[in-house]
């Protein structure tokens, strides 16, 4: 693992790192915030994973969300991976913002040429946790996950598919039913092919019906979000979760849009949500 930068922040350390991924076959960057508690010798601290949205890298969240202050308050390590492999220059990879570079959708692609590198589900659930566990003092028995938009989709999917791994999940403006909206239909067709049955493995609204997840899910959504009715459709997930007996709270926030201003406003409440569940 290569250290790209480390800076003191809120009594802890905000770092950016890079390693050679065998899962994606590329170098991968990620950020880690270590709170003051991680340096006191009190033992491993819980880890909270953040998944970013379309066009983002690990930097957007690290520099804009203001999460470090709250992570320091609650004693949480926060890990933010990139949103796709980088440096491949596959045909069409950089042509649009919602497919390819910066738009991995946290799936394991099955279609060529994406299947050889676009394996973000396995990268985040299998490979990166090993790297984090080897290099940082974290308690892997206490993991939470949250994200925004495409990353909110990823956080919900990973939690629902791996309920024994994560204790907490929340999301900002998540794409909850990607099989039924343009962003998801485009990405899933490209990465997974035309078989919509395969898409259900990465669709939170489909997964929640049979998931063993039972801890409270928190979702914040701005009512001035221009993507609300066409790409996000949170009511579909809420209805499916309630039918399945999965506790979910959807908070519609008046006047808020899809930006990091929205996320920064409610970041403290989301991290507190995770801290309560990770303390159990």
């Amino acid at each position: 693992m290569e250290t790209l930068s480390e800076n003191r922040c809120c009594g802890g350390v905000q770092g950016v790192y890079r390693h050679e991924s065998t899962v994606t076959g590329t170098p991968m960057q990620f950020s880690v915030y270590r709170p003051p508690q991680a340096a006191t010798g009190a033992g491993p601290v819980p880890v909270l994973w953040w998944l970013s949205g379309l066009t983002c890298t690990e930097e957007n969240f690290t520099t804009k969300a203001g999460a470090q202050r709250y992570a320091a308050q609650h004693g949480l390590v926060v890990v933010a991976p990139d949103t796709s492999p980088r440096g491949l220059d596959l045909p069409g990879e950089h042509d649009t913002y919602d497919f390819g570079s910066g738009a991995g959708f946290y799936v394991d692609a099955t279609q060529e040429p994406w299947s050889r590198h676009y394996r973000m589900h396995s990268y985040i659930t299998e490979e990166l946790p090993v790297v984090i566990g080897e290099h940082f003092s974290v308690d892997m028995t206490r993991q939470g996950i949250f994200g925004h938009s495409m990353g909110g989709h990823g956080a919900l999917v990973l939690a629902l598919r791996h309920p024994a791994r994560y204790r907490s999940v929340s999301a900002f403006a998540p794409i909850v039913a990607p099989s039924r909206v343009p962003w998801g239909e485009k990405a899933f067709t490209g990465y997974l092919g035309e078989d919509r049955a395969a898409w259900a493995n990465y669709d939170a609204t489909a997964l929640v019906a049979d998931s063993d997840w039972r801890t409270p899910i928190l979702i914040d959504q701005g009512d001035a979000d221009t993507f609300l009715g066409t790409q996000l459709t949170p009511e579909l997930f809420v209805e499916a979760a309630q039918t399945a007996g999965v506790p979910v709270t959807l908070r519609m926030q008046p006047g808020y849009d899809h930006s990091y201003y929205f996320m920064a406003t409610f970041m403290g409440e989301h991290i507190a949500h995770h801290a309560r569940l990770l303390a159990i």
Side-chain angles (χ1 to χ4, degrees):
M1 189 184 74
E2 177 185 2
T3 299
L4 301 181
S5 66
E6 288 187 332
N7 299 92
R8 291 287 291 173
C9 182
C10 299
V13 177
Q14 177 63 66
V16 179
Y17 309 93
R18 180 166 55 211
H19 75 119
E20 292 292 333
S21 168
T22 58
V23 170
T24 68
T26 66
M28 294 293 291
Q29 285 189 194
F30 59 94
S31 74
V32 179
Y33 177 70
R34 289 174 281 160
Q37 295 87 338
T40 62
V45 299
V47 57
L48 182 56
W49 298 85
W50 170 267
L51 304 184
S52 291
L54 290 167
T55 75
C56 291
T57 68
E58 79 290 336
E59 183 179 14
N60 301 74
F61 170 79
T62 304
T63 60
K64 295 180 180 181
Q68 294 91 342
R69 183 176 305 279
Y70 306 110
Q73 176 185 344
H74 294 286
L76 303 178
V77 164
V78 182
V79 181
D82 203 345
T83 55
S84 76
R86 303 285 176 173
L88 293 168
D89 293 327
L90 300 174
E93 185 180 22
H94 312 306
D95 289 354
T96 60
Y97 78 96
D98 54 357
F99 183 80
S101 182
F105 266 83
Y106 306 102
V107 305
D108 283 348
T110 58
Q111 304 300 300
E112 291 290 345
W114 315 102
S115 60
R116 287 173 283 179
H117 304 285
Y118 275 66
R119 303 180 60 218
M120 293 301 293
H121 183 94
S122 290
Y123 174 70
I124 292 167
T125 60
E126 303 298 335
E127 185 177 34
L128 189 54
V130 173
V131 175
I132 298 300
E134 288 178 350
H135 293 277
F136 302 94
S137 180
V138 294
D139 182 355
M140 285 298 187
T141 68
R142 292 187 290 164
Q143 297 185 64
I145 190 166
F146 66 151
H148 168 239
S149 194
M150 179 185 71
H153 140 76
L156 291 171
V157 166
L158 267 62
L160 293 171
R161 286 185 58 171
H162 305 278
R165 177 177 303 233
Y166 305 103
R167 292 193 184 186
S168 58
V169 63
S170 72
F172 293 89
I175 308 169
V176 300
S179 299
R180 293 188 252 177
V181 299
W183 276 342
E185 290 176 332
K186 178 179 180 178
F188 285 4
T189 299
Y191 295 136
L192 305 174
E194 299 287 348
D195 182 8
R196 286 179 172 259
W199 298 7
N201 290 321
Y202 299 102
D203 187 308
T205 299
L207 288 168
V208 74
D210 299 312
S211 176
D212 293 328
W213 189 271
R214 287 299 179 266
T215 58
I217 298 172
L218 173 62
I219 297 175
D220 270 319
Q221 172 65 62
D223 71 1
D225 190 325
T226 56
F227 302 114
L228 177 57
T230 56
Q231 304 283 10
L232 306 176
T233 61
E235 69 281 356
L236 297 179
F237 180 78
V238 171
E239 181 181 356
Q242 290 175 341
T243 299
V246 176
V248 57
T249 297
L250 171 62
R251 306 192 307 185
M252 297 299 298
Q253 303 293 358
Y256 284 91
D257 56 19
H258 203 68
S259 71
Y260 266 88
Y261 296 113
F262 161 55
M263 285 176 275
T265 302
F266 301 102
M267 184 59 61
E269 295 173 40
H270 277 248
I271 291 181
H273 164 83
H274 290 276
R276 286 192 296 272
L277 294 171
L278 293 175
I280 297 173

mmCIF file of all heavy atoms in Angstrom, residues 35-46 75 77 136-139 142:
data_model
loop_
_atom_site.group_PDB
_atom_site.id
_atom_site.type_symbol
_atom_site.label_atom_id
_atom_site.label_comp_id
_atom_site.label_asym_id
_atom_site.label_seq_id
_atom_site.Cartn_x
_atom_site.Cartn_y
_atom_site.Cartn_z
ATOM 1 N N PRO A 35 -9.903 8.399 13.442
ATOM 2 C CA PRO A 35 -10.261 9.341 14.504
ATOM 3 C C PRO A 35 -9.213 9.312 15.615
ATOM 4 O O PRO A 35 -8.365 8.409 15.664
ATOM 5 C CB PRO A 35 -11.605 8.800 14.998
ATOM 6 C CG PRO A 35 -11.474 7.323 14.806
ATOM 7 C CD PRO A 35 -10.715 7.164 13.507
ATOM 8 N N PRO A 36 -9.258 10.272 16.533
ATOM 9 C CA PRO A 36 -8.290 10.282 17.630
ATOM 10 C C PRO A 36 -8.277 8.984 18.430
ATOM 11 O O PRO A 36 -7.231 8.544 18.903
ATOM 12 C CB PRO A 36 -8.754 11.461 18.498
ATOM 13 C CG PRO A 36 -9.551 12.325 17.588
ATOM 14 C CD PRO A 36 -10.175 11.421 16.579
ATOM 15 N N GLN A 37 -9.444 8.354 18.567
ATOM 16 C CA GLN A 37 -9.543 7.133 19.363
ATOM 17 C C GLN A 37 -8.692 6.004 18.788
ATOM 18 O O GLN A 37 -8.299 5.087 19.506
ATOM 19 C CB GLN A 37 -11.003 6.681 19.453
ATOM 20 C CG GLN A 37 -11.909 7.645 20.189
ATOM 21 C CD GLN A 37 -12.486 8.739 19.297
ATOM 22 O OE1 GLN A 37 -11.942 9.053 18.235
ATOM 23 N NE2 GLN A 37 -13.593 9.330 19.716
ATOM 24 N N ALA A 38 -8.424 6.049 17.471
ATOM 25 C CA ALA A 38 -7.634 4.993 16.847
ATOM 26 C C ALA A 38 -6.172 5.051 17.245
ATOM 27 O O ALA A 38 -5.431 4.084 17.040
ATOM 28 C CB ALA A 38 -7.752 5.093 15.325
ATOM 29 N N ALA A 39 -5.754 6.170 17.826
ATOM 30 C CA ALA A 39 -4.352 6.338 18.207
ATOM 31 C C ALA A 39 -4.136 6.256 19.706
ATOM 32 O O ALA A 39 -3.012 6.428 20.182
ATOM 33 C CB ALA A 39 -3.832 7.678 17.693
ATOM 34 N N THR A 40 -5.172 5.985 20.476
ATOM 35 C CA THR A 40 -5.050 5.995 21.935
ATOM 36 C C THR A 40 -4.623 4.662 22.505
ATOM 37 O O THR A 40 -4.342 4.568 23.702
ATOM 38 C CB THR A 40 -6.392 6.390 22.572
ATOM 39 O OG1 THR A 40 -7.386 5.407 22.215
ATOM 40 C CG2 THR A 40 -6.827 7.771 22.105
ATOM 41 N N GLY A 41 -4.600 3.621 21.681
ATOM 42 C CA GLY A 41 -4.263 2.298 22.188
ATOM 43 C C GLY A 41 -5.415 1.607 22.872
ATOM 44 O O GLY A 41 -5.225 0.570 23.528
ATOM 45 N N ALA A 42 -6.613 2.150 22.731
ATOM 46 C CA ALA A 42 -7.787 1.559 23.374
ATOM 47 C C ALA A 42 -8.299 0.334 22.626
ATOM 48 O O ALA A 42 -9.229 -0.323 23.075
ATOM 49 C CB ALA A 42 -8.894 2.602 23.484
ATOM 50 N N GLY A 43 -7.724 0.031 21.473
ATOM 51 C CA GLY A 43 -8.150 -1.117 20.691
ATOM 52 C C GLY A 43 -8.794 -0.704 19.390
ATOM 53 O O GLY A 43 -9.003 0.487 19.123
ATOM 54 N N PRO A 44 -9.110 -1.682 18.552
ATOM 55 C CA PRO A 44 -9.715 -1.393 17.247
ATOM 56 C C PRO A 44 -11.039 -0.657 17.381
ATOM 57 O O PRO A 44 -11.784 -0.875 18.335
ATOM 58 C CB PRO A 44 -9.918 -2.785 16.633
ATOM 59 C CG PRO A 44 -8.974 -3.680 17.373
ATOM 60 C CD PRO A 44 -8.897 -3.123 18.762
ATOM 61 N N VAL A 45 -11.327 0.233 16.419
ATOM 62 C CA VAL A 45 -12.564 1.005 16.434
ATOM 63 C C VAL A 45 -13.437 0.569 15.252
ATOM 64 O O VAL A 45 -12.950 -0.003 14.276
ATOM 65 C CB VAL A 45 -12.278 2.520 16.362
ATOM 66 C CG1 VAL A 45 -11.455 2.960 17.562
ATOM 67 C CG2 VAL A 45 -11.541 2.876 15.072
ATOM 68 N N PRO A 46 -14.744 0.833 15.323
ATOM 69 C CA PRO A 46 -15.633 0.444 14.223
ATOM 70 C C PRO A 46 -15.254 1.148 12.918
ATOM 71 O O PRO A 46 -14.633 2.216 12.922
ATOM 72 C CB PRO A 46 -17.017 0.894 14.702
ATOM 73 C CG PRO A 46 -16.895 1.009 16.183
ATOM 74 C CD PRO A 46 -15.484 1.434 16.449
ATOM 75 N N GLY A 75 -15.765 8.267 17.241
ATOM 76 C CA GLY A 75 -14.714 7.267 17.217
ATOM 77 C C GLY A 75 -14.870 6.224 16.129
ATOM 78 O O GLY A 75 -14.753 5.021 16.382
ATOM 79 N N VAL A 77 -13.620 4.930 12.211
ATOM 80 C CA VAL A 77 -12.810 5.001 11.005
ATOM 81 C C VAL A 77 -13.760 5.083 9.817
ATOM 82 O O VAL A 77 -14.755 4.345 9.764
ATOM 83 C CB VAL A 77 -11.900 3.761 10.877
ATOM 84 C CG1 VAL A 77 -11.350 3.618 9.463
ATOM 85 C CG2 VAL A 77 -10.745 3.846 11.863
ATOM 86 N N PHE A 136 -4.826 -0.840 9.212
ATOM 87 C CA PHE A 136 -5.452 0.104 10.127
ATOM 88 C C PHE A 136 -6.077 -0.645 11.298
ATOM 89 O O PHE A 136 -6.471 -1.802 11.169
ATOM 90 C CB PHE A 136 -6.515 0.936 9.402
ATOM 91 C CG PHE A 136 -5.974 1.704 8.230
ATOM 92 C CD1 PHE A 136 -6.038 1.175 6.946
ATOM 93 C CD2 PHE A 136 -5.376 2.944 8.401
ATOM 94 C CE1 PHE A 136 -5.517 1.865 5.853
ATOM 95 C CE2 PHE A 136 -4.853 3.640 7.324
ATOM 96 C CZ PHE A 136 -4.927 3.101 6.046
ATOM 97 N N SER A 137 -6.176 0.032 12.432
ATOM 98 C CA SER A 137 -6.719 -0.585 13.641
ATOM 99 C C SER A 137 -8.245 -0.466 13.631
ATOM 100 O O SER A 137 -8.818 0.504 14.149
ATOM 101 C CB SER A 137 -6.144 0.107 14.886
ATOM 102 O OG SER A 137 -6.655 -0.486 16.065
ATOM 103 N N VAL A 138 -8.893 -1.443 13.015
ATOM 104 C CA VAL A 138 -10.353 -1.423 12.880
ATOM 105 C C VAL A 138 -10.941 -2.723 13.404
ATOM 106 O O VAL A 138 -10.306 -3.776 13.364
ATOM 107 C CB VAL A 138 -10.787 -1.213 11.415
ATOM 108 C CG1 VAL A 138 -10.389 0.165 10.917
ATOM 109 C CG2 VAL A 138 -10.198 -2.284 10.508
ATOM 110 N N ASP A 139 -12.166 -2.618 13.882
ATOM 111 C CA ASP A 139 -12.913 -3.772 14.370
ATOM 112 C C ASP A 139 -13.844 -4.237 13.264
ATOM 113 O O ASP A 139 -14.909 -3.663 13.055
ATOM 114 C CB ASP A 139 -13.696 -3.382 15.627
ATOM 115 C CG ASP A 139 -14.463 -4.556 16.229
ATOM 116 O OD1 ASP A 139 -14.458 -5.645 15.628
ATOM 117 O OD2 ASP A 139 -15.069 -4.361 17.304
ATOM 118 N N ARG A 142 -17.608 -4.815 13.542
ATOM 119 C CA ARG A 142 -18.532 -3.670 13.636
ATOM 120 C C ARG A 142 -18.330 -2.785 12.409
ATOM 121 O O ARG A 142 -17.516 -1.865 12.414
ATOM 122 C CB ARG A 142 -18.294 -2.895 14.924
ATOM 123 C CG ARG A 142 -18.676 -3.664 16.185
ATOM 124 C CD ARG A 142 -18.589 -2.799 17.413
ATOM 125 N NE ARG A 142 -17.214 -2.467 17.749
ATOM 126 C CZ ARG A 142 -16.863 -1.486 18.586
ATOM 127 N NH1 ARG A 142 -17.789 -0.710 19.143
ATOM 128 N NH2 ARG A 142 -15.592 -1.261 18.861
#
